[in-house]
Amino acid sequence: MDFSQRFGVIVIGGGHAGTEAALASARMGVSTLLLTHNIETLGQMSCNPAIGGIGKSHLVREIDALGGAMGRATDKGGIQFRVLNARKGPAVRATRAQADRELYKAAIRGTLENQPNLTLFQQAVDDLVVENGRCVGVVTNMGLRFMADAVVLTAGTFLGGVIHIGLDNHQGGRAGDQPSNALACRLRELPFRVDRLKTGTPPRIDGKSVDFSVMEEQWGDNPLPVMSYLGKVEEHPQQVCCYITHTNAQTHDIIRSGFDRSPMFTGVIDGVGPRYCPSIEDKVNRYPDKDSHQIFVEPEGLNTHELYPNGISTSLPFDVQLQAVRSIRGFENAHITRPGYAIEYDYFNPQDLKHSLETQHMPGLFFAGQINGTTGYEEAGAQGLLAGLNAARLSQGKDAWTPRRDEAYIGVLVDDLITMGTQEPYRMFTSRAEYRLLLREDNADLRLTEKGRELGLVGDERWAAFNAKRDGMASEEQRLKTTWVRPKTPEAEAVNALIEKPLTHEYNLLDLLKRPELTYANLAEAVALADRPDSAVIEQMEILAKYAGYIDRQADEIEKLRAAETTALPVEFDYGQVKGLSNEVKQKLSEIRPQTLGQAGRIPGVTPAAISLLMIYLKKHH
Ligand code: FAD
């Protein structure tokens, strides 16, 4: 590397946000530098080695559809795959994979090392170079200066990180890693709103000390799912079993006995924790009537005995952790390999960001990942990809791009953060999307890959696979529409055997597929359909046929709302001038400064009536 080289984009941090950011920027042909504390921890999973799950797999598929690394790495590192909600509708179906931590990391590192236009360098960043209010580079702890058109910060839980175990605490970015204090201090001098959040992790357990025979087994799915649109089952490593056990009344008594030494209950921790991933002490405290909570006992990898007991994240003192763990069925003789802990860290109010994830107060500086108040690898990866993409576009002198809420969960995520901010770690759920029938994990490629190709994010292999799928869908739809089943033929008799009332007139196969009793497979069998397409094409045919009515209705709704969505609100708009708006609404709008009417409408407390008043005012005066 030529140290005097000016880069297009510099990314700080090689976690989930940083790696996707660096890869996206480099894929777009922009010279990119990824600076991170330690090359060995590129793509490290700080907590549970699992990717996906409800709402989250949707983000992984979107990252994948835009050429990102997370889905591919999961296919190479996943040691157990399951489709959650498999019996429910396609909108809420979600793939989840338990990963081998080392294989996952190796896959991410391999992708980074082989990415053209990307330079990796191991160094902590201590300072930003700011010229005329613009971020134009960084300074590392060795005093090296690197200059760039745009900088993406993805420091995760490291800024001012403090680790708590009981009433003991020490500084750290996560267990075993130094925090980023110099950079945290520097950022606190800049005009960003900073606050504290916290998250936690359970103690890890040596599998050799565990009695699995008293636990419930949980195997992955068969047939095995894949995470990436390019994924192949053959890429998966060996698959393993997970187990289920439970806490009990005795465990809860032990946990309660530690409350007076809990950093959370004694006020030592100020930061708010993730509501949907609470610590075990939080659960025991909040639900005093429950005397059992489920624990998923998940392997950390193929070449280690370490286990991740999912459900007992804790920052209680170590002696309490040990007693509590040993009161659990199967863990009576458990050896804890690493204590559980909580970590408090700085995050920035995401309302100070633009939809591109560029900071409003400092052009050229982008924020992505945990520092924006989110939790989770998938949420971080999604933001990273978007920030990397927009930093690269800034460097290329092009306008920013962000998917709309009706195009992608990435759009929902960013819009939620910017519009509403967050006071607790934000996690994605399918319920956060108003158009979830359109935003399915099975169609992220159909929603985004073409755009990704146009943006320069999608390579030839993915583009070819995508076109093959799209062409396959078009020709299969055509075939189904033009293949007729006429009453009193052998085909009709075979179909009649599958449905309640016999067919009275002719139907094409697409119409028949709309019936809930008929699947593609049994229909194809009944009419002896030759040359069946790929399973991904069949899945799309079934969803499009069975949910056509709902999908069309959502598409109509989106069309109507799009007008409001794109009506711009001038940055300097004086909300005090609009008659009829309550003081509360005026105050919120003046504070948040939404960019469009649609965004204004999603601010809590801004009513549809207030939006109508704004619309009328805008029509009259602009
Ligand atoms: P990280 O993955 O933290 O990556 C940050 C990267 O930046 C690291 O590589 C770091 O070395 C580097 N870095 C930081 N500062 C600098 C600097 N100044 N210079 C150079 N490099 C720097 N998520 C959940 O969904 N559920 C959970 O229960 C959960 N529990 C967690 C428990 C713990 C203890 C921790 C630490 C995290 C937990 N998470 C959990 C969060 C999950 O790990 C993060 O959401 C995710 O890793 C965020 O990705 P990121 O890229 O933003 O940051």
Side-chain angles (χ1 to χ4, degrees):
M1 178 177 46
D2 170 9
F3 283 84
S4 62
Q5 179 189 346
R6 186 184 168 92
F7 289 89
V9 171
I10 292 174
V11 177
I12 308 169
H16 306 276
T19 51
E20 292 294 355
L23 287 166
S25 165
R27 281 203 300 285
M28 291 171 63
V30 172
S31 67
T32 305
L33 172 66
L34 173 58
L35 287 164
T36 193
H37 279 136
N38 185 351
I39 296 234
E40 300 300 329
T41 61
L42 284 169
Q44 173 142 323
M45 296 159 137
S46 314
C47 195
N48 188 3
I51 297 279
I54 295 164
K56 289 173 172 269
S57 67
H58 295 67
L59 287 170
V60 182
R61 293 283 177 103
E62 291 177 1
I63 295 170
D64 188 65
L66 291 167
M70 192 172 262
R72 301 284 284 141
T74 307
D75 281 330
K76 291 181 186 144
I79 54 178
Q80 187 188 83
F81 287 79
R82 293 197 305 133
V83 177
L84 311 179
N85 284 337
R87 289 202 199 94
K88 295 194 183 162
V92 294
R93 258 174 238 157
T95 308
R96 179 188 189 274
Q98 192 66 31
D100 175 308
R101 184 184 283 296
E102 296 305 320
L103 289 178
Y104 183 86
K105 257 188 357 184
I108 293 287
R109 180 157 166 190
T111 311
L112 290 163
E113 286 187 2
N114 289 304
Q115 175 63 52
N117 309 315
L118 178 58
T119 304
L120 305 176
F121 194 59
Q122 176 171 303
Q123 236 352 237
V125 170
D126 279 358
D127 201 355
L128 303 174
V129 182
V130 180
E131 279 172 11
N132 303 324
R134 239 193 123 75
C135 184
V136 291
V138 302
V139 183
T140 73
N141 66 346
M142 265 170 61
L144 299 174
R145 256 166 101 93
F146 294 100
M147 305 300 280
D149 301 329
V151 173
V152 183
L153 177 67
T154 70
T157 50
F158 286 67
L159 295 174
V162 176
I163 287 177
H164 297 264
I165 304 177
L167 298 179
D168 291 334
N169 54 61
H170 63 273
Q171 298 188 348
R174 66 187 158 211
D177 287 317
Q178 292 301 312
S180 280
N181 286 340
L183 187 60
C185 289
R186 171 70 164 125
L187 287 159
R188 278 179 174 261
E189 289 165 14
L190 298 172
F192 302 117
R193 289 181 279 177
V194 190
D195 215 330
R196 301 286 275 174
L197 286 176
K198 75 126 198 168
T199 187
T201 196
R204 307 302 200 272
I205 292 172
D206 182 349
K208 299 198 297 302
S209 63
V210 171
D211 181 1
F212 294 106
S213 69
V214 297
M215 297 183 185
E216 191 187 316
E217 286 190 357
Q218 190 184 48
W219 284 95
D221 285 358
N222 189 9
L224 262 175
V226 289
M227 194 61 93
S228 164
Y229 289 103
L230 296 181
K232 294 188 182 63
V233 171
E234 307 82 70
E235 285 175 319
H236 294 342
Q238 180 196 335
Q239 299 296 293
V240 298
C241 184
C242 295
Y243 296 86
I244 296 174
T245 185
H246 298 88
T247 60
N248 53 50
Q250 192 199 348
T251 321
H252 294 192
D253 284 343
I254 296 167
I255 286 168
R256 273 186 217 103
S257 76
F259 278 7
D260 60 345
R261 287 186 291 145
S262 148
M264 269 177 24
F265 298 136
T266 51
V268 176
I269 292 183
D270 296 330
V272 183
R275 180 200 308 223
Y276 308 101
C277 208
S279 63
I280 186 66
E281 52 269 33
D282 230 350
K283 287 191 266 189
V284 169
N285 185 43
R286 257 197 259 163
Y287 310 106
D289 300 338
K290 264 192 106 170
D291 57 16
S292 176
H293 293 283
Q294 190 162 252
I295 304 169
F296 292 96
V297 181
E298 301 171 326
E300 291 250 340
L302 295 175
N303 295 317
T304 170
H305 293 290
E306 262 192 320
L307 299 170
Y308 180 96
N310 188 349
I312 53 167
S313 147
T314 184
S315 57
L316 287 168
F318 183 65
D319 58 299
V320 183
Q321 293 188 22
L322 188 61
Q323 269 190 64
V325 162
R326 289 193 172 163
S327 70
I328 294 166
R329 200 164 150 78
F331 287 161
E332 290 83 355
N333 299 307
H335 168 63
I336 291 183
T337 50
R338 305 177 202 217
Y341 66 91
I343 183 163
E344 267 189 299
Y345 54 92
D346 286 359
Y347 84 105
F348 302 98
N349 188 330
Q351 289 171 305
D352 292 343
L353 297 171
K354 299 181 189 167
H355 276 77
S356 59
L357 297 183
E358 189 179 15
T359 57
Q360 285 185 15
H361 300 302
M362 187 170 289
L365 180 62
F366 292 73
F367 286 172
Q370 194 96 359
I371 59 166
N372 287 340
T374 59
T375 173
Y377 312 127
E378 304 79 356
E379 290 80 351
Q383 291 171 66
L385 184 140
L386 189 68
L389 152 76
N390 283 324
R393 285 182 73 80
L394 184 76
S395 153
Q396 292 169 328
K398 294 179 182 161
D399 287 343
W401 175 80
T402 306
R404 297 186 312 265
R405 293 181 74 90
D406 58 66
E407 283 178 310
Y409 275 88
I410 302 177
V412 173
L413 170 71
V414 169
D415 190 61
D416 275 357
L417 289 173
I418 289 168
T419 309
M420 299 188 280
T422 187
Q423 280 75 47
E424 57 184 359
Y426 177 105
R427 180 210 193 278
M428 185 46 79
F429 287 106
T430 48
S431 56
R432 297 199 191 268
E434 42 287 79
Y435 308 114
R436 57 179 177 274
L437 207 47
L438 298 180
L439 306 188
R440 306 183 308 272
E441 70 160 22
D442 63 80
N443 71 349
D445 55 345
L446 297 163
R447 291 185 272 120
L448 296 171
T449 295
E450 192 169 1
K451 184 68 194 178
R453 179 74 177 177
E454 191 189 311
L455 291 163
L457 289 169
V458 168
D460 293 343
E461 184 194 358
R462 183 177 296 278
W463 184 235
F466 170 73
N467 280 316
K469 178 175 170 184
R470 202 165 48 172
D471 294 348
M473 282 176 62
S475 59
E476 189 59 12
E477 188 178 358
Q478 190 56 21
R479 169 161 81 151
L480 295 178
K481 269 188 191 158
T482 53
T483 307
W484 295 89
V485 179
R486 301 199 162 84
K488 300 205 176 84
T489 56
E491 289 80 14
E493 292 311 316
V495 172
N496 286 341
L498 301 166
I499 56 180
E500 266 183 26
K501 287 187 192 154
L503 302 179
T504 50
H505 61 90
E506 64 172 12
Y507 284 94
N508 67 36
L509 294 185
L510 196 63
D511 282 335
L512 287 175
L513 197 53
K514 292 182 178 159
R515 300 182 175 218
E517 323 86 286
L518 293 176
T519 63
Y520 182 97
N522 62 21
L523 193 56
E525 187 75 19
V527 303
L529 208 58
D531 302 327
R532 293 182 202 170
D534 196 72
S535 60
V537 171
I538 294 178
E539 183 184 29
Q540 291 306 308
M541 292 300 110
E542 289 197 313
I543 293 172
L544 293 178
K546 295 199 189 303
Y547 296 89
Y550 301 100
I551 291 173
D552 289 350
R553 218 175 303 151
Q554 287 206 340
D556 284 351
E557 240 177 74
I558 290 167
E559 211 41 59
K560 282 192 200 129
L561 283 170
R562 197 160 286 167
E565 191 56 53
T566 50
T567 304
L569 285 165
V571 185
E572 298 306 328
F573 193 77
D574 180 4
Y575 292 97
Q577 299 283 319
V578 186
K579 290 208 179 79
L581 288 184
S582 72
N583 283 337
E584 186 201 341
V585 167
K586 281 181 191 162
Q587 195 189 335
K588 281 195 169 158
L589 291 168
S590 312
E591 205 179 288
I592 296 171
R593 302 235 146 254
Q595 290 168 14
T596 64
L597 262 185
Q599 195 195 342
R602 287 187 296 279
I603 297 172
V606 176
T607 58
I611 295 297
S612 310
L613 288 171
L614 274 176
M615 215 179 315
I616 294 165
Y617 185 90
L618 283 172
K619 269 196 191 137
K620 261 198 204 156
H621 298 88
H622 288 270

